Amino acid sequence: GAGVSQTPSNKVTEKGKYVELRCDPISGHTALYWYRQSLGQGPEFLIYFQGTGAADDSGLPNDRFFAVRPEGSVSTLKIQRTERGDSAVYLCASSLWAGSTDTQYFGPGTRLTVL
Amino acid sequence: AQSVTQLDSHVSVSEGTPVLLRCNYSSSYSPSLFWYVQHPNKGLQLLLKYTSAATLVKGINGFEAEFKKSETSFHLTKPSAHMSDAAEYFCVVSDEFGGFKTIFGAGTRLFVKA
């Protein structure tokens, strides 16, 4: 079956611009997670959704970052006024439920480069 | 709050020799622990997970890990390394007290020499 997909695979933008990153989870998965992975680091938790609601957004670095999941499936991570420090690979994962024991299935990521 | 420490940033082994990747965790509650592998230009893949059942967990590709509460460790092992095992490995902790937020370690890069 289809796994988690993310679009675009690569995004190059200029400092100050707005970007949207999309995640399509595995069908039927109610939980969706966003992570950011900088070069040489482990993925850093940003936010997770259970259904349509953001259950924990404590990892979002500041108010320039926002994520939505309006119908409980596809999610969009939105970054306003991008900065060079936002350059990273943004990973999305989904799981059947948002439980500590549930396996998360990861997408291939979107590589964001801010010039 | 949960945290994970991977004790080695790089590990190098010869093909056919044992692999040991070390992980220590901190959790205020009964943790779930995972090991993920990331091959170059590929997505993260689950190797194995511990969820309070058997303390010795067997995963894919011959990997296993042992949960030791007294040592707060969850080290990953494999009896015999293969060239295809060369990748980045991440230890991950999650617990209900932390609101199911998953915390990744910084990663250990495994090199396998022929």
PDB file of all heavy atoms in Angstrom, chain A residues 4 6 23 25 30-35 45-50 56 69 75 91-106, chain B residues 94 99-102:
ATOM      1  N   VAL A   4       3.663   7.156   3.456  1.00  0.00           N
ATOM      2  CA  VAL A   4       3.523   8.586   3.682  1.00  0.00           C
ATOM      3  C   VAL A   4       4.241   9.319   2.546  1.00  0.00           C
ATOM      4  O   VAL A   4       5.381   8.977   2.207  1.00  0.00           O
ATOM      5  CB  VAL A   4       4.149   8.984   5.034  1.00  0.00           C
ATOM      6  CG1 VAL A   4       4.064  10.494   5.236  1.00  0.00           C
ATOM      7  CG2 VAL A   4       3.469   8.238   6.170  1.00  0.00           C
ATOM      8  N   GLN A   6       5.323  13.167   0.801  1.00  0.00           N
ATOM      9  CA  GLN A   6       5.548  14.578   1.109  1.00  0.00           C
ATOM     10  C   GLN A   6       5.896  15.320  -0.177  1.00  0.00           C
ATOM     11  O   GLN A   6       6.651  14.817  -1.008  1.00  0.00           O
ATOM     12  CB  GLN A   6       6.699  14.741   2.117  1.00  0.00           C
ATOM     13  CG  GLN A   6       6.385  14.185   3.484  1.00  0.00           C
ATOM     14  CD  GLN A   6       7.488  14.482   4.481  1.00  0.00           C
ATOM     15  OE1 GLN A   6       8.159  13.586   4.968  1.00  0.00           O
ATOM     16  NE2 GLN A   6       7.671  15.764   4.794  1.00  0.00           N
ATOM     17  N   CYS A  23       1.954  17.072   3.532  1.00  0.00           N
ATOM     18  CA  CYS A  23       2.130  15.677   3.951  1.00  0.00           C
ATOM     19  C   CYS A  23       0.841  14.904   3.737  1.00  0.00           C
ATOM     20  O   CYS A  23      -0.224  15.322   4.222  1.00  0.00           O
ATOM     21  CB  CYS A  23       2.529  15.608   5.422  1.00  0.00           C
ATOM     22  SG  CYS A  23       2.575  13.923   6.086  1.00  0.00           S
ATOM     23  N   PRO A  25      -0.645  11.387   4.766  1.00  0.00           N
ATOM     24  CA  PRO A  25      -0.365  10.235   5.624  1.00  0.00           C
ATOM     25  C   PRO A  25      -0.906   8.947   5.022  1.00  0.00           C
ATOM     26  O   PRO A  25      -1.599   8.962   4.006  1.00  0.00           O
ATOM     27  CB  PRO A  25      -1.126  10.587   6.906  1.00  0.00           C
ATOM     28  CG  PRO A  25      -2.303  11.367   6.412  1.00  0.00           C
ATOM     29  CD  PRO A  25      -1.778  12.175   5.238  1.00  0.00           C
ATOM     30  N   THR A  30      -4.748   8.078  12.141  1.00  0.00           N
ATOM     31  CA  THR A  30      -5.372   9.250  12.757  1.00  0.00           C
ATOM     32  C   THR A  30      -4.343  10.236  13.304  1.00  0.00           C
ATOM     33  O   THR A  30      -4.657  11.400  13.503  1.00  0.00           O
ATOM     34  CB  THR A  30      -6.301   8.826  13.903  1.00  0.00           C
ATOM     35  OG1 THR A  30      -5.512   8.211  14.933  1.00  0.00           O
ATOM     36  CG2 THR A  30      -7.353   7.836  13.425  1.00  0.00           C
ATOM     37  N   ALA A  31      -3.146   9.761  13.563  1.00  0.00           N
ATOM     38  CA  ALA A  31      -2.118  10.640  14.128  1.00  0.00           C
ATOM     39  C   ALA A  31      -1.113  11.029  13.055  1.00  0.00           C
ATOM     40  O   ALA A  31      -0.736  10.219  12.206  1.00  0.00           O
ATOM     41  CB  ALA A  31      -1.402   9.954  15.283  1.00  0.00           C
ATOM     42  N   LEU A  32      -0.691  12.293  13.108  1.00  0.00           N
ATOM     43  CA  LEU A  32       0.266  12.805  12.133  1.00  0.00           C
ATOM     44  C   LEU A  32       1.264  13.688  12.865  1.00  0.00           C
ATOM     45  O   LEU A  32       0.887  14.513  13.703  1.00  0.00           O
ATOM     46  CB  LEU A  32      -0.459  13.595  11.040  1.00  0.00           C
ATOM     47  CG  LEU A  32       0.381  14.089   9.866  1.00  0.00           C
ATOM     48  CD1 LEU A  32      -0.456  14.104   8.585  1.00  0.00           C
ATOM     49  CD2 LEU A  32       1.008  15.442  10.120  1.00  0.00           C
ATOM     50  N   TYR A  33       2.532  13.501  12.545  1.00  0.00           N
ATOM     51  CA  TYR A  33       3.621  14.197  13.237  1.00  0.00           C
ATOM     52  C   TYR A  33       4.451  14.973  12.234  1.00  0.00           C
ATOM     53  O   TYR A  33       4.695  14.492  11.120  1.00  0.00           O
ATOM     54  CB  TYR A  33       4.546  13.194  13.941  1.00  0.00           C
ATOM     55  CG  TYR A  33       3.869  12.279  14.929  1.00  0.00           C
ATOM     56  CD1 TYR A  33       3.095  11.200  14.504  1.00  0.00           C
ATOM     57  CD2 TYR A  33       4.022  12.470  16.303  1.00  0.00           C
ATOM     58  CE1 TYR A  33       2.492  10.352  15.406  1.00  0.00           C
ATOM     59  CE2 TYR A  33       3.419  11.624  17.217  1.00  0.00           C
ATOM     60  CZ  TYR A  33       2.659  10.564  16.757  1.00  0.00           C
ATOM     61  OH  TYR A  33       2.062   9.725  17.665  1.00  0.00           O
ATOM     62  N   TRP A  34       4.992  16.094  12.660  1.00  0.00           N
ATOM     63  CA  TRP A  34       5.993  16.840  11.886  1.00  0.00           C
ATOM     64  C   TRP A  34       7.279  16.933  12.707  1.00  0.00           C
ATOM     65  O   TRP A  34       7.255  17.190  13.916  1.00  0.00           O
ATOM     66  CB  TRP A  34       5.507  18.258  11.582  1.00  0.00           C
ATOM     67  CG  TRP A  34       4.512  18.373  10.468  1.00  0.00           C
ATOM     68  CD1 TRP A  34       3.154  18.518  10.580  1.00  0.00           C
ATOM     69  CD2 TRP A  34       4.788  18.396   9.068  1.00  0.00           C
ATOM     70  NE1 TRP A  34       2.577  18.613   9.338  1.00  0.00           N
ATOM     71  CE2 TRP A  34       3.567  18.551   8.387  1.00  0.00           C
ATOM     72  CE3 TRP A  34       5.965  18.320   8.306  1.00  0.00           C
ATOM     73  CZ2 TRP A  34       3.469  18.609   7.000  1.00  0.00           C
ATOM     74  CZ3 TRP A  34       5.870  18.381   6.932  1.00  0.00           C
ATOM     75  CH2 TRP A  34       4.637  18.525   6.299  1.00  0.00           C
ATOM     76  N   TYR A  35       8.401  16.748  11.995  1.00  0.00           N
ATOM     77  CA  TYR A  35       9.722  16.866  12.585  1.00  0.00           C
ATOM     78  C   TYR A  35      10.599  17.716  11.671  1.00  0.00           C
ATOM     79  O   TYR A  35      10.352  17.833  10.469  1.00  0.00           O
ATOM     80  CB  TYR A  35      10.406  15.498  12.730  1.00  0.00           C
ATOM     81  CG  TYR A  35       9.701  14.513  13.624  1.00  0.00           C
ATOM     82  CD1 TYR A  35       8.676  13.701  13.144  1.00  0.00           C
ATOM     83  CD2 TYR A  35      10.072  14.382  14.961  1.00  0.00           C
ATOM     84  CE1 TYR A  35       8.041  12.794  13.960  1.00  0.00           C
ATOM     85  CE2 TYR A  35       9.445  13.472  15.792  1.00  0.00           C
ATOM     86  CZ  TYR A  35       8.431  12.681  15.283  1.00  0.00           C
ATOM     87  OH  TYR A  35       7.809  11.778  16.105  1.00  0.00           O
ATOM     88  N   PHE A  45      11.157  17.051  17.172  1.00  0.00           N
ATOM     89  CA  PHE A  45       9.698  17.105  17.169  1.00  0.00           C
ATOM     90  C   PHE A  45       9.211  18.546  17.020  1.00  0.00           C
ATOM     91  O   PHE A  45       9.708  19.459  17.685  1.00  0.00           O
ATOM     92  CB  PHE A  45       9.166  16.512  18.469  1.00  0.00           C
ATOM     93  CG  PHE A  45       7.698  16.735  18.696  1.00  0.00           C
ATOM     94  CD1 PHE A  45       6.763  15.896  18.126  1.00  0.00           C
ATOM     95  CD2 PHE A  45       7.259  17.794  19.477  1.00  0.00           C
ATOM     96  CE1 PHE A  45       5.405  16.100  18.332  1.00  0.00           C
ATOM     97  CE2 PHE A  45       5.901  18.007  19.692  1.00  0.00           C
ATOM     98  CZ  PHE A  45       4.970  17.153  19.116  1.00  0.00           C
ATOM     99  N   LEU A  46       8.213  18.745  16.155  1.00  0.00           N
ATOM    100  CA  LEU A  46       7.590  20.067  15.997  1.00  0.00           C
ATOM    101  C   LEU A  46       6.164  20.075  16.532  1.00  0.00           C
ATOM    102  O   LEU A  46       5.811  20.881  17.394  1.00  0.00           O
ATOM    103  CB  LEU A  46       7.577  20.469  14.523  1.00  0.00           C
ATOM    104  CG  LEU A  46       8.941  20.672  13.845  1.00  0.00           C
ATOM    105  CD1 LEU A  46       8.748  21.008  12.369  1.00  0.00           C
ATOM    106  CD2 LEU A  46       9.732  21.762  14.542  1.00  0.00           C
ATOM    107  N   ILE A  47       5.328  19.166  16.003  1.00  0.00           N
ATOM    108  CA  ILE A  47       3.912  19.191  16.323  1.00  0.00           C
ATOM    109  C   ILE A  47       3.323  17.845  15.967  1.00  0.00           C
ATOM    110  O   ILE A  47       3.827  17.156  15.082  1.00  0.00           O
ATOM    111  CB  ILE A  47       3.197  20.319  15.523  1.00  0.00           C
ATOM    112  CG1 ILE A  47       1.720  20.429  15.882  1.00  0.00           C
ATOM    113  CG2 ILE A  47       3.360  20.091  14.018  1.00  0.00           C
ATOM    114  CD1 ILE A  47       1.035  21.657  15.260  1.00  0.00           C
ATOM    115  N   TYR A  48       2.248  17.447  16.702  1.00  0.00           N
ATOM    116  CA  TYR A  48       1.514  16.301  16.228  1.00  0.00           C
ATOM    117  C   TYR A  48       0.018  16.542  16.325  1.00  0.00           C
ATOM    118  O   TYR A  48      -0.468  17.316  17.163  1.00  0.00           O
ATOM    119  CB  TYR A  48       1.962  15.002  16.904  1.00  0.00           C
ATOM    120  CG  TYR A  48       1.265  14.616  18.191  1.00  0.00           C
ATOM    121  CD1 TYR A  48       0.071  13.878  18.180  1.00  0.00           C
ATOM    122  CD2 TYR A  48       1.839  14.923  19.415  1.00  0.00           C
ATOM    123  CE1 TYR A  48      -0.538  13.493  19.356  1.00  0.00           C
ATOM    124  CE2 TYR A  48       1.239  14.532  20.599  1.00  0.00           C
ATOM    125  CZ  TYR A  48       0.052  13.816  20.567  1.00  0.00           C
ATOM    126  OH  TYR A  48      -0.551  13.435  21.737  1.00  0.00           O
ATOM    127  N   PHE A  49      -0.708  15.884  15.431  1.00  0.00           N
ATOM    128  CA  PHE A  49      -2.164  15.957  15.353  1.00  0.00           C
ATOM    129  C   PHE A  49      -2.762  14.601  15.705  1.00  0.00           C
ATOM    130  O   PHE A  49      -2.260  13.560  15.305  1.00  0.00           O
ATOM    131  CB  PHE A  49      -2.614  16.301  13.922  1.00  0.00           C
ATOM    132  CG  PHE A  49      -2.260  17.685  13.473  1.00  0.00           C
ATOM    133  CD1 PHE A  49      -1.014  17.954  12.923  1.00  0.00           C
ATOM    134  CD2 PHE A  49      -3.175  18.721  13.595  1.00  0.00           C
ATOM    135  CE1 PHE A  49      -0.685  19.231  12.500  1.00  0.00           C
ATOM    136  CE2 PHE A  49      -2.857  20.002  13.179  1.00  0.00           C
ATOM    137  CZ  PHE A  49      -1.608  20.254  12.633  1.00  0.00           C
ATOM    138  N   GLN A  50      -3.859  14.663  16.440  1.00  0.00           N
ATOM    139  CA  GLN A  50      -4.721  13.501  16.590  1.00  0.00           C
ATOM    140  C   GLN A  50      -6.034  13.908  15.922  1.00  0.00           C
ATOM    141  O   GLN A  50      -6.769  14.742  16.447  1.00  0.00           O
ATOM    142  CB  GLN A  50      -4.925  13.148  18.075  1.00  0.00           C
ATOM    143  CG  GLN A  50      -5.882  11.996  18.296  1.00  0.00           C
ATOM    144  CD  GLN A  50      -5.411  10.718  17.636  1.00  0.00           C
ATOM    145  OE1 GLN A  50      -4.307  10.243  17.849  1.00  0.00           O
ATOM    146  NE2 GLN A  50      -6.269  10.144  16.793  1.00  0.00           N
ATOM    147  N   ASP A  56      -0.300  18.549  20.366  1.00  0.00           N
ATOM    148  CA  ASP A  56       0.901  19.064  21.032  1.00  0.00           C
ATOM    149  C   ASP A  56       1.705  19.836  20.005  1.00  0.00           C
ATOM    150  O   ASP A  56       2.198  19.253  19.060  1.00  0.00           O
ATOM    151  CB  ASP A  56       1.720  17.902  21.606  1.00  0.00           C
ATOM    152  CG  ASP A  56       2.909  18.368  22.445  1.00  0.00           C
ATOM    153  OD1 ASP A  56       3.381  19.514  22.283  1.00  0.00           O
ATOM    154  OD2 ASP A  56       3.375  17.565  23.278  1.00  0.00           O
ATOM    155  N   ARG A  69      -4.476  20.622   9.706  1.00  0.00           N
ATOM    156  CA  ARG A  69      -4.904  19.326   9.198  1.00  0.00           C
ATOM    157  C   ARG A  69      -6.437  19.358   9.188  1.00  0.00           C
ATOM    158  O   ARG A  69      -7.093  18.680   9.974  1.00  0.00           O
ATOM    159  CB  ARG A  69      -4.383  18.200  10.105  1.00  0.00           C
ATOM    160  CG  ARG A  69      -4.476  16.820   9.488  1.00  0.00           C
ATOM    161  CD  ARG A  69      -4.076  15.749  10.469  1.00  0.00           C
ATOM    162  NE  ARG A  69      -4.070  14.437   9.845  1.00  0.00           N
ATOM    163  CZ  ARG A  69      -4.133  13.293  10.523  1.00  0.00           C
ATOM    164  NH1 ARG A  69      -4.218  13.316  11.849  1.00  0.00           N
ATOM    165  NH2 ARG A  69      -4.093  12.141   9.887  1.00  0.00           N
ATOM    166  N   SER A  75      -1.932  17.142   5.802  1.00  0.00           N
ATOM    167  CA  SER A  75      -1.495  18.240   6.674  1.00  0.00           C
ATOM    168  C   SER A  75      -0.559  19.157   5.895  1.00  0.00           C
ATOM    169  O   SER A  75       0.180  18.715   4.999  1.00  0.00           O
ATOM    170  CB  SER A  75      -0.773  17.702   7.901  1.00  0.00           C
ATOM    171  OG  SER A  75      -0.278  18.759   8.703  1.00  0.00           O
ATOM    172  N   LEU A  91      10.339  16.394   8.062  1.00  0.00           N
ATOM    173  CA  LEU A  91       9.816  15.035   7.989  1.00  0.00           C
ATOM    174  C   LEU A  91       8.399  14.976   8.526  1.00  0.00           C
ATOM    175  O   LEU A  91       8.073  15.634   9.513  1.00  0.00           O
ATOM    176  CB  LEU A  91      10.690  14.084   8.811  1.00  0.00           C
ATOM    177  CG  LEU A  91      12.144  13.918   8.359  1.00  0.00           C
ATOM    178  CD1 LEU A  91      12.936  13.168   9.419  1.00  0.00           C
ATOM    179  CD2 LEU A  91      12.202  13.182   7.040  1.00  0.00           C
ATOM    180  N   CYS A  92       7.614  14.149   7.887  1.00  0.00           N
ATOM    181  CA  CYS A  92       6.257  13.892   8.346  1.00  0.00           C
ATOM    182  C   CYS A  92       6.145  12.397   8.643  1.00  0.00           C
ATOM    183  O   CYS A  92       6.776  11.567   7.970  1.00  0.00           O
ATOM    184  CB  CYS A  92       5.266  14.295   7.264  1.00  0.00           C
ATOM    185  SG  CYS A  92       3.551  13.913   7.632  1.00  0.00           S
ATOM    186  N   ALA A  93       5.378  12.061   9.646  1.00  0.00           N
ATOM    187  CA  ALA A  93       5.131  10.665   9.984  1.00  0.00           C
ATOM    188  C   ALA A  93       3.666  10.503  10.362  1.00  0.00           C
ATOM    189  O   ALA A  93       3.020  11.457  10.824  1.00  0.00           O
ATOM    190  CB  ALA A  93       6.017  10.217  11.145  1.00  0.00           C
ATOM    191  N   SER A  94       3.146   9.296  10.180  1.00  0.00           N
ATOM    192  CA  SER A  94       1.789   9.023  10.638  1.00  0.00           C
ATOM    193  C   SER A  94       1.762   7.702  11.383  1.00  0.00           C
ATOM    194  O   SER A  94       2.628   6.845  11.212  1.00  0.00           O
ATOM    195  CB  SER A  94       0.802   9.010   9.467  1.00  0.00           C
ATOM    196  OG  SER A  94       0.989   7.889   8.629  1.00  0.00           O
ATOM    197  N   SER A  95       0.776   7.566  12.254  1.00  0.00           N
ATOM    198  CA  SER A  95       0.568   6.313  12.972  1.00  0.00           C
ATOM    199  C   SER A  95      -0.927   6.090  13.128  1.00  0.00           C
ATOM    200  O   SER A  95      -1.727   7.030  13.014  1.00  0.00           O
ATOM    201  CB  SER A  95       1.266   6.326  14.332  1.00  0.00           C
ATOM    202  OG  SER A  95       0.713   7.292  15.196  1.00  0.00           O
ATOM    203  N   LEU A  96      -1.272   4.851  13.421  1.00  0.00           N
ATOM    204  CA  LEU A  96      -2.688   4.514  13.525  1.00  0.00           C
ATOM    205  C   LEU A  96      -3.365   5.381  14.587  1.00  0.00           C
ATOM    206  O   LEU A  96      -4.423   5.962  14.375  1.00  0.00           O
ATOM    207  CB  LEU A  96      -2.809   3.032  13.859  1.00  0.00           C
ATOM    208  CG  LEU A  96      -4.118   2.344  13.493  1.00  0.00           C
ATOM    209  CD1 LEU A  96      -4.436   2.542  12.026  1.00  0.00           C
ATOM    210  CD2 LEU A  96      -4.025   0.859  13.816  1.00  0.00           C
ATOM    211  N   TRP A  97      -2.744   5.446  15.758  1.00  0.00           N
ATOM    212  CA  TRP A  97      -3.223   6.286  16.853  1.00  0.00           C
ATOM    213  C   TRP A  97      -2.046   7.038  17.443  1.00  0.00           C
ATOM    214  O   TRP A  97      -0.910   6.679  17.232  1.00  0.00           O
ATOM    215  CB  TRP A  97      -3.850   5.422  17.967  1.00  0.00           C
ATOM    216  CG  TRP A  97      -5.045   4.656  17.533  1.00  0.00           C
ATOM    217  CD1 TRP A  97      -5.108   3.332  17.201  1.00  0.00           C
ATOM    218  CD2 TRP A  97      -6.372   5.163  17.370  1.00  0.00           C
ATOM    219  NE1 TRP A  97      -6.384   2.996  16.832  1.00  0.00           N
ATOM    220  CE2 TRP A  97      -7.182   4.077  16.933  1.00  0.00           C
ATOM    221  CE3 TRP A  97      -6.962   6.423  17.548  1.00  0.00           C
ATOM    222  CZ2 TRP A  97      -8.540   4.229  16.676  1.00  0.00           C
ATOM    223  CZ3 TRP A  97      -8.309   6.559  17.302  1.00  0.00           C
ATOM    224  CH2 TRP A  97      -9.087   5.477  16.867  1.00  0.00           C
ATOM    225  N   ALA A  98      -2.337   8.075  18.196  1.00  0.00           N
ATOM    226  CA  ALA A  98      -1.287   8.822  18.878  1.00  0.00           C
ATOM    227  C   ALA A  98      -1.063   8.191  20.239  1.00  0.00           C
ATOM    228  O   ALA A  98      -1.551   8.664  21.248  1.00  0.00           O
ATOM    229  CB  ALA A  98      -1.681  10.282  19.038  1.00  0.00           C
ATOM    230  N   GLY A  99      -0.338   7.103  20.261  1.00  0.00           N
ATOM    231  CA  GLY A  99      -0.006   6.448  21.504  1.00  0.00           C
ATOM    232  C   GLY A  99       1.484   6.284  21.585  1.00  0.00           C
ATOM    233  O   GLY A  99       2.172   6.215  20.576  1.00  0.00           O
ATOM    234  N   SER A 100       2.003   6.199  22.806  1.00  0.00           N
ATOM    235  CA  SER A 100       3.459   6.107  22.941  1.00  0.00           C
ATOM    236  C   SER A 100       3.997   4.801  22.381  1.00  0.00           C
ATOM    237  O   SER A 100       5.181   4.699  22.086  1.00  0.00           O
ATOM    238  CB  SER A 100       3.863   6.253  24.405  1.00  0.00           C
ATOM    239  OG  SER A 100       3.269   5.226  25.174  1.00  0.00           O
ATOM    240  N   THR A 101       3.123   3.791  22.217  1.00  0.00           N
ATOM    241  CA  THR A 101       3.611   2.506  21.713  1.00  0.00           C
ATOM    242  C   THR A 101       3.459   2.365  20.207  1.00  0.00           C
ATOM    243  O   THR A 101       3.940   1.409  19.624  1.00  0.00           O
ATOM    244  CB  THR A 101       2.843   1.350  22.370  1.00  0.00           C
ATOM    245  OG1 THR A 101       1.456   1.468  22.033  1.00  0.00           O
ATOM    246  CG2 THR A 101       2.988   1.387  23.884  1.00  0.00           C
ATOM    247  N   ASP A 102       2.765   3.318  19.589  1.00  0.00           N
ATOM    248  CA  ASP A 102       2.460   3.159  18.165  1.00  0.00           C
ATOM    249  C   ASP A 102       3.657   3.431  17.280  1.00  0.00           C
ATOM    250  O   ASP A 102       4.408   4.376  17.498  1.00  0.00           O
ATOM    251  CB  ASP A 102       1.314   4.097  17.774  1.00  0.00           C
ATOM    252  CG  ASP A 102      -0.033   3.494  18.120  1.00  0.00           C
ATOM    253  OD1 ASP A 102      -0.076   2.599  18.983  1.00  0.00           O
ATOM    254  OD2 ASP A 102      -1.030   3.910  17.520  1.00  0.00           O
ATOM    255  N   THR A 103       3.804   2.633  16.260  1.00  0.00           N
ATOM    256  CA  THR A 103       4.881   2.814  15.295  1.00  0.00           C
ATOM    257  C   THR A 103       4.545   3.976  14.380  1.00  0.00           C
ATOM    258  O   THR A 103       3.440   4.067  13.846  1.00  0.00           O
ATOM    259  CB  THR A 103       5.067   1.549  14.454  1.00  0.00           C
ATOM    260  OG1 THR A 103       5.441   0.475  15.321  1.00  0.00           O
ATOM    261  CG2 THR A 103       6.135   1.747  13.391  1.00  0.00           C
ATOM    262  N   GLN A 104       5.500   4.858  14.196  1.00  0.00           N
ATOM    263  CA  GLN A 104       5.338   5.950  13.253  1.00  0.00           C
ATOM    264  C   GLN A 104       5.993   5.573  11.931  1.00  0.00           C
ATOM    265  O   GLN A 104       7.107   5.037  11.906  1.00  0.00           O
ATOM    266  CB  GLN A 104       5.984   7.221  13.807  1.00  0.00           C
ATOM    267  CG  GLN A 104       5.282   7.747  15.044  1.00  0.00           C
ATOM    268  CD  GLN A 104       5.892   9.013  15.564  1.00  0.00           C
ATOM    269  OE1 GLN A 104       6.441   9.830  14.824  1.00  0.00           O
ATOM    270  NE2 GLN A 104       5.794   9.221  16.872  1.00  0.00           N
ATOM    271  N   TYR A 105       5.308   5.860  10.857  1.00  0.00           N
ATOM    272  CA  TYR A 105       5.799   5.600   9.507  1.00  0.00           C
ATOM    273  C   TYR A 105       6.164   6.943   8.886  1.00  0.00           C
ATOM    274  O   TYR A 105       5.323   7.841   8.819  1.00  0.00           O
ATOM    275  CB  TYR A 105       4.738   4.874   8.685  1.00  0.00           C
ATOM    276  CG  TYR A 105       4.402   3.510   9.247  1.00  0.00           C
ATOM    277  CD1 TYR A 105       3.441   3.364  10.241  1.00  0.00           C
ATOM    278  CD2 TYR A 105       5.081   2.379   8.811  1.00  0.00           C
ATOM    279  CE1 TYR A 105       3.154   2.124  10.777  1.00  0.00           C
ATOM    280  CE2 TYR A 105       4.795   1.125   9.340  1.00  0.00           C
ATOM    281  CZ  TYR A 105       3.834   1.011  10.333  1.00  0.00           C
ATOM    282  OH  TYR A 105       3.566  -0.221  10.866  1.00  0.00           O
ATOM    283  N   PHE A 106       7.396   7.023   8.426  1.00  0.00           N
ATOM    284  CA  PHE A 106       7.930   8.302   7.975  1.00  0.00           C
ATOM    285  C   PHE A 106       7.870   8.452   6.466  1.00  0.00           C
ATOM    286  O   PHE A 106       8.061   7.495   5.707  1.00  0.00           O
ATOM    287  CB  PHE A 106       9.381   8.458   8.433  1.00  0.00           C
ATOM    288  CG  PHE A 106       9.510   8.815   9.883  1.00  0.00           C
ATOM    289  CD1 PHE A 106       9.421   7.842  10.868  1.00  0.00           C
ATOM    290  CD2 PHE A 106       9.686  10.135  10.269  1.00  0.00           C
ATOM    291  CE1 PHE A 106       9.527   8.172  12.210  1.00  0.00           C
ATOM    292  CE2 PHE A 106       9.790  10.478  11.609  1.00  0.00           C
ATOM    293  CZ  PHE A 106       9.707   9.491  12.573  1.00  0.00           C
TER     294      PHE A 106
ATOM    295  N   SER B  94       9.472   7.629  23.986  1.00  0.00           N
ATOM    296  CA  SER B  94       8.154   8.247  24.040  1.00  0.00           C
ATOM    297  C   SER B  94       7.475   7.764  25.309  1.00  0.00           C
ATOM    298  O   SER B  94       7.682   6.614  25.720  1.00  0.00           O
ATOM    299  CB  SER B  94       7.327   7.837  22.823  1.00  0.00           C
ATOM    300  OG  SER B  94       6.011   8.334  22.893  1.00  0.00           O
ATOM    301  N   GLY B  99       3.078  13.208  26.845  1.00  0.00           N
ATOM    302  CA  GLY B  99       2.032  13.506  25.878  1.00  0.00           C
ATOM    303  C   GLY B  99       2.263  12.855  24.537  1.00  0.00           C
ATOM    304  O   GLY B  99       1.874  13.391  23.509  1.00  0.00           O
ATOM    305  N   PHE B 100       2.915  11.695  24.545  1.00  0.00           N
ATOM    306  CA  PHE B 100       3.171  10.928  23.325  1.00  0.00           C
ATOM    307  C   PHE B 100       4.150  11.625  22.386  1.00  0.00           C
ATOM    308  O   PHE B 100       4.305  11.211  21.250  1.00  0.00           O
ATOM    309  CB  PHE B 100       1.873  10.626  22.575  1.00  0.00           C
ATOM    310  CG  PHE B 100       0.820  10.000  23.438  1.00  0.00           C
ATOM    311  CD1 PHE B 100      -0.451  10.533  23.508  1.00  0.00           C
ATOM    312  CD2 PHE B 100       1.112   8.884  24.211  1.00  0.00           C
ATOM    313  CE1 PHE B 100      -1.417   9.973  24.316  1.00  0.00           C
ATOM    314  CE2 PHE B 100       0.147   8.320  25.025  1.00  0.00           C
ATOM    315  CZ  PHE B 100      -1.121   8.867  25.072  1.00  0.00           C
ATOM    316  N   LYS B 101       4.784  12.676  22.867  1.00  0.00           N
ATOM    317  CA  LYS B 101       5.787  13.322  22.039  1.00  0.00           C
ATOM    318  C   LYS B 101       6.989  12.389  21.936  1.00  0.00           C
ATOM    319  O   LYS B 101       7.400  11.782  22.926  1.00  0.00           O
ATOM    320  CB  LYS B 101       6.201  14.638  22.703  1.00  0.00           C
ATOM    321  CG  LYS B 101       7.064  15.516  21.847  1.00  0.00           C
ATOM    322  CD  LYS B 101       7.086  16.932  22.400  1.00  0.00           C
ATOM    323  CE  LYS B 101       7.730  17.046  23.748  1.00  0.00           C
ATOM    324  NZ  LYS B 101       7.782  18.460  24.190  1.00  0.00           N
ATOM    325  N   THR B 102       7.537  12.249  20.760  1.00  0.00           N
ATOM    326  CA  THR B 102       8.677  11.363  20.561  1.00  0.00           C
ATOM    327  C   THR B 102       9.960  12.174  20.491  1.00  0.00           C
ATOM    328  O   THR B 102      10.028  13.175  19.781  1.00  0.00           O
ATOM    329  CB  THR B 102       8.510  10.536  19.281  1.00  0.00           C
ATOM    330  OG1 THR B 102       8.028  11.377  18.235  1.00  0.00           O
ATOM    331  CG2 THR B 102       7.530   9.410  19.487  1.00  0.00           C
TER     332      THR B 102
END
